Amino acid sequence: MTWSEIQPVLTQACWDTLYMVGWSTLIAVVAGLPLGILLVLTDKGGLLQNVVVNKVIGQVVNIARSMPFIILMVALMTFTRWITGTTIGREAAIVPLAIGAIPFFARLVEMSVREVDGGLVEAVQSMGGSTWKVVRSVLVPEALPSLISGATTTVIALIGYSAMAGTVGAGGLGDVAVRYGYQRFETGVMWITVAILAVVISLLQIVGDVVARSLHRRSGGSGGLLLFRPLRGVLPGTVATEAVKKS
Amino acid sequence: MSVRRRPYETQPHSPCLNLHPCPGTPTPAHSTVTETHVITTSGLTKVYRSRGREVTALDGVDLHVREGEVYGVIGQSGAGKSSLIRCVNLLERPTSGTVTVAGQDLTALAGRGPRAGRELRRARSRIGMVFQHFNLLSSRTVRDNIELPLEILGTPAKERSRKALELLDLVGLADKAGAYPAQLSGGQKQRVGIARALAGDPKVLLSDEATSALDPETTRSILQLLRDLNRQLGLTVLLITHEMDVVKSICDSAALMDKGRIVESGTVSELLATPGSELAAALFPVSGERTGEDRTVLDVTFHGEAATQPVVSQLARTYNIDISILGAAIDTVGGLQIGRMRIELPGRYEDNVVPIGFLREQGLQIDVVGADAQAPVLVKDGAK
C-alpha cells in the first residue's frame, strides 16, 4: 500500500477515534462527576449519609468497572439500539464507551474528593453553608487539579477501549491497526497507527499534567494528589518536565 | 521583704495587651463584659458510639459565657473541650442538653438527622469560628476566602468585596488580598481565618485551638488581635486551648475541663482568689521543694493592695522566725497584677497557726502546701 492510499484511511480513523473518545469523555465527566461526589457524600460520616444508596451505587460501579469492555459492548447492544437506533458505527460505539467510562471516572472522582481536607467542609458548615455550597465551593474547586488528572486518565483509557469499537464497525485507529496491520499483514500501517497513538496519548498526558500542575501550584501544592502518571518520562525533556524545572 | 514589681514583669509583651491600652487607639482600657449570658449550655452531654463501645465526651456541661468576655476552656486532650466548642454551633450534635447562643436555642433548630436545616444554618452564620489548622480554601485567594461567608449570606458582590478589604485592613493584611493561602505564613493564615470568621458580623467568635499550630511569637500577636477585637467590637470570644498562657494573657473567665466535665469555672480573678483552685495554681505556678520534715510550706498570693505591703519582713520581725523563700513570681493574669511566693516556716503546721493567721489578716491568700492541714494544693505544670 502506498502512502496516498493509506493516508485518507488514517485521517478518517483519527477523526473517528476523536469523535468517539470526545463524546464518551464528555458524557463520562458529566455523569461521573456527580456520581463520584455522591459516593463520598452518602458514605458513612458523609454529609448526605445514606448507606443503602452508597452501597447500591458502589456495587453498580464495581460491576461496571470489572466488566471487560468488549463484553460490555455486546451486553449493552439492546440498550444501544434503544438510544441510537443502531448497534453499529461510531454513534453506537459511544454508548458502551460512555457507560464503561462513567464508573471509571466516578471512582477517580471519589478518590480525589476524599482527599479534600474535612476541615474545609467543616469551615463552610460553620459559616452556615449548605451541602450544595460545600460541593460547589469546597469539594470541586479543592479537588480540581486531581480531577483534571483523573479526566486525563479517563481519556487515555477510552482511547484504549475505542480500539475495540472496531468490532462493531465504528472505525478508529485501533480498527485500522487490526484490519490493515494484522489481517492484511501491512506491518507498516500498524506501526504508523502505533506511532500516532503514542504521540496522541503522550500529548494528552502532557496537557493534562500541565493544567493540573498549574492549578496545583497556584494553590500551593498542598492537598490533593495527582493520579496516575503512567507516561511520565516517556518523552524526556518535554513540556511537563520543563514545567517542573521552571518551578 | 515586700514583693516589688520587677520592671521586666510589669511591661506586658506588647503595649496593647493586658492593662495598658495603646495610646492613640480607641481601645477601651476596661473590658466590655456585661452580665448578659450570650452562650449558655445546660446539661450538655455527648456520647460517641462506635462498634458497640460508648465514649462519653461531654458529661453534663453547664457553661455560661457573658456578653463581651473572652472565655477560655482549658483541659488536657481528651477532656472534651473540642466536643464542647463544636457542640456550641452544632457541628457536633449533642446527645442531650441545650445550647443557647444570643438568646436562640440552637438545639431546638437542629431537627433530626445529620443535615442542618435552613434555620440552623442561618444561626450558624451569626457565629464565627476559627480553627487550629486555619481551614482556608487553597483554591481561593485571601480575599475570596473572606468573601465566602458573605456568599453564603447572599451579600451582593460589590458589598462583599468592600467588606473583605475592610476586614483585611482590620487584621493588618491589606496588602495580601490577592495572595493564595499557600503564600502566607501561619500567623497570616490565622489572621485571614479571623477576618473570615468576622465577615458575617457575628456576635460570638469560637476559637478552636486557634494558636496551637503557631510559634510563641505569632501566638502572642494572634491573641492580641483577638483581645483587640474583643475590646473594639464587643465581640464575645469562646476559646478552647491546652495552653495556660492563652488563658493567662487574654481570658476574662476560664473553665477547667476534665473527663467531659467542667471542674472549675469563674472569672480569672475569682479563680485566683479561690484557695486550692487547680486552675489558679496552673495559671500561676510556683515551685520549690520543702527542705526538711518538720517545716511548713505556704503559697502566698498577693493581689491588689497587699502586693505593696512588706508582709514577709513584718512576719519575720513580729514572730521572730526565719523565713526561707523557695520560689516567687509576679505576673499579669487576666489583666490583674498578681504575685505568688512559696515560703517555708520552721516547725509543723500546728506550730505556725498564729503566723499563718497573721498573713491572712493582711489580706493575703494562703495555701498550705503538703500532706498536713487543709486541701493540699498540687501545682500542676499546666495542662498539656
Side-chain angles (χ1 to χ4, degrees):
Chain A
M1 266 180 115
T2 62
W3 177 248
S4 57
E5 281 173 321
I6 196 68
Q7 194 263 340
V9 175
L10 283 172
T11 312
Q12 182 59 37
C14 282
W15 281 118
D16 287 345
T17 298
L18 194 71
Y19 182 84
M20 289 186 289
V21 171
W23 277 108
S24 50
T25 302
L26 190 71
I27 297 168
V29 168
V30 168
L33 184 66
L35 206 60
I37 292 172
L38 211 58
L39 273 170
V40 178
L41 292 180
T42 56
D43 198 9
K44 217 169 172 203
L47 292 177
L48 300 174
Q49 184 176 332
N50 188 327
V51 181
V52 178
V53 172
N54 188 262
K55 283 269 179 292
V56 169
I57 300 179
Q59 204 56 42
V60 169
V61 164
N62 279 344
I63 291 171
R65 281 261 280 127
S66 55
M67 193 74 70
F69 179 71
I70 196 141
I71 295 175
L72 189 73
M73 200 159 58
V74 179
L76 284 175
M77 274 189 172
T78 324
F79 180 68
T80 307
R81 182 176 295 127
W82 181 65
I83 298 272
T84 61
T86 174
T87 54
I88 52 171
R90 298 191 306 183
E91 282 76 13
I94 291 172
V95 176
L97 280 175
I99 300 276
I102 289 169
F104 183 82
F105 186 60
R107 275 283 179 234
L108 296 180
V109 170
E110 186 196 359
M111 277 163 66
S112 309
V113 170
R114 266 192 214 289
E115 289 292 315
V116 174
D117 181 2
L120 302 178
V121 174
E122 204 157 76
V124 171
Q125 282 184 299
S126 80
M127 296 166 199
S130 59
T131 302
W132 175 234
K133 183 70 186 171
V134 169
V135 170
R136 229 165 15 125
S137 302
V138 182
L139 299 184
V140 173
E142 291 292 312
L144 198 58
S146 167
L147 290 175
I148 301 273
S149 295
T152 311
T153 308
T154 306
V155 176
I156 291 169
L158 275 171
I159 291 176
Y161 289 166
S162 75
M164 283 177 256
T167 47
V168 294
L173 285 166
D175 185 40
V176 171
V178 172
R179 280 194 293 127
Y180 289 80
Y182 177 67
Q183 292 167 348
R184 296 195 194 175
F185 302 102
E186 296 275 3
T187 319
V189 177
M190 188 188 71
W191 284 117
I192 291 171
T193 59
V194 168
I196 293 173
L197 282 170
V199 170
V200 168
I201 290 173
S202 301
L203 281 176
L204 276 169
Q205 187 67 51
I206 289 161
V207 170
D209 277 356
V210 168
V211 173
R213 271 164 179 282
S214 70
L215 285 170
H216 198 58
R217 188 159 348 111
R218 189 189 69 178
S219 57
S222 60
L225 83 169
L226 297 178
L227 296 163
F228 300 101
R229 295 171 191 145
L231 288 160
R232 173 77 17 88
V234 160
L235 304 170
T238 54
V239 191
T241 39
E242 291 300 354
V244 180
K245 277 179 207 152
K246 255 184 271 168
S247 69
Chain B
M1 175 204 150
S2 77
V3 178
R4 296 264 172 236
R5 294 167 186 210
R6 279 182 271 148
Y8 164 74
E9 303 286 0
T10 52
Q11 300 272 309
H13 299 301
S14 90
C16 285
L17 269 181
N18 306 328
L19 288 174
H20 310 276
C22 287
T25 64
T27 316
H30 296 291
S31 70
T32 48
V33 183
T34 71
E35 286 310 309
T36 324
H37 287 156
V38 68
I39 302 174
T40 305
T41 73
S42 54
L44 203 62
T45 304
K46 175 74 192 180
V47 181
Y48 294 99
R49 290 190 181 83
S50 73
R51 295 196 199 95
R53 277 195 335 128
E54 288 198 352
V55 180
T56 307
L58 296 176
D59 190 3
V61 173
D62 297 315
L63 189 74
H64 302 280
V65 181
R66 292 172 302 160
E67 191 174 19
E69 75 175 338
V70 179
Y71 196 108
V73 176
I74 190 158
Q76 302 182 331
S77 61
K81 49 194 196 318
S82 228
S83 300
L84 174 62
I85 201 161
R86 291 158 50 84
C87 275
V88 170
N89 62 2
L90 262 70
L91 279 179
E92 204 86 72
R93 298 296 167 97
T95 311
S96 66
T98 58
V99 177
T100 311
V101 178
Q104 198 170 24
D105 183 355
L106 298 189
T107 31
L109 300 178
R112 296 170 141 262
R115 288 181 65 189
R118 185 181 300 271
E119 290 279 300
L120 176 59
R121 294 206 310 266
R122 283 207 76 78
R124 273 182 185 161
S125 69
R126 290 188 289 268
I127 304 172
M129 191 164 187
V130 282
F131 302 87
Q132 179 174 4
H133 299 295
F134 327 121
N135 293 352
L136 302 176
L137 298 184
S138 63
S139 54
R140 286 176 170 232
T141 60
V142 162
R143 187 166 111 187
D144 291 345
N145 263 289
I146 299 173
E147 286 189 19
L148 185 60
L150 298 167
E151 286 172 21
I152 292 168
L153 286 171
T155 312
K158 215 169 177 184
E159 171 67 14
R160 285 205 304 260
S161 132
R162 189 192 62 76
K163 180 95 191 188
L165 294 176
E166 189 185 297
L167 284 164
L168 272 174
D169 201 34
L170 184 68
V171 299
L173 287 177
D175 54 331
K176 297 287 184 194
Y180 282 92
Q183 297 163 315
L184 305 180
S185 70
Q188 289 172 328
K189 283 182 196 167
Q190 197 55 289
R191 280 168 189 271
V192 176
I194 291 170
R196 184 179 67 175
L198 294 177
D201 288 321
K203 287 188 65 77
V204 176
L205 185 70
L206 305 178
S207 158
D208 185 358
E209 299 270 12
T211 57
S212 299
L214 304 173
D215 60 72
E217 194 60 43
T218 316
T219 295
R220 268 199 289 281
S221 80
I222 293 293
L223 290 177
Q224 181 193 323
L225 175 64
L226 286 176
R227 190 52 161 172
D228 288 349
L229 293 170
N230 160 259
R231 296 290 204 231
Q232 283 171 21
L233 311 174
L235 189 71
T236 308
V237 181
L238 172 61
L239 60 87
I240 63 163
T241 183
H242 63 270
E243 295 166 315
M244 273 294 164
D245 275 345
V246 171
V247 175
K248 208 157 156 175
S249 52
I250 66 165
C251 291
D252 298 302
S253 299
L256 174 67
M257 277 196 89
D258 188 35
K259 299 194 181 79
R261 291 168 171 276
I262 289 190
V263 189
E264 278 178 28
S265 66
T267 64
V268 170
S269 50
E270 277 167 17
L271 288 168
L272 289 172
T274 309
S277 159
E278 255 189 85
L279 249 182
L283 274 174
F284 199 8
V286 273
S287 55
E289 288 295 310
R290 140 197 339 257
T291 53
E293 261 307 295
D294 50 348
R295 288 174 182 270
T296 307
V297 178
L298 304 176
D299 275 349
V300 184
T301 309
F302 306 81
H303 23 188
E305 281 290 290
T308 57
Q309 301 297 319
V311 279
V312 176
S313 59
Q314 276 175 12
L315 180 72
R317 245 181 293 124
T318 314
Y319 296 97
N320 196 25
I321 46 178
D322 294 320
I323 301 166
S324 346
I325 295 172
L326 301 177
I330 287 197
D331 212 333
T332 309
V333 178
L336 296 166
Q337 196 78 34
I338 179 163
R340 188 172 264 195
M341 180 158 54
R342 177 165 287 193
I343 59 175
E344 192 180 52
L345 309 179
R348 295 176 177 283
Y349 174 70
E350 297 80 44
D351 309 326
N352 284 305
V353 174
V354 178
I356 292 170
F358 168 83
L359 288 173
R360 291 211 167 112
E361 262 169 44
Q362 306 299 309
L364 300 176
Q365 182 190 319
I366 309 297
D367 294 307
V368 181
V369 187
D372 50 332
Q374 70 238 88
V377 180
L378 296 172
V379 177
K380 286 214 306 186
D381 200 16
K384 289 279 147 57

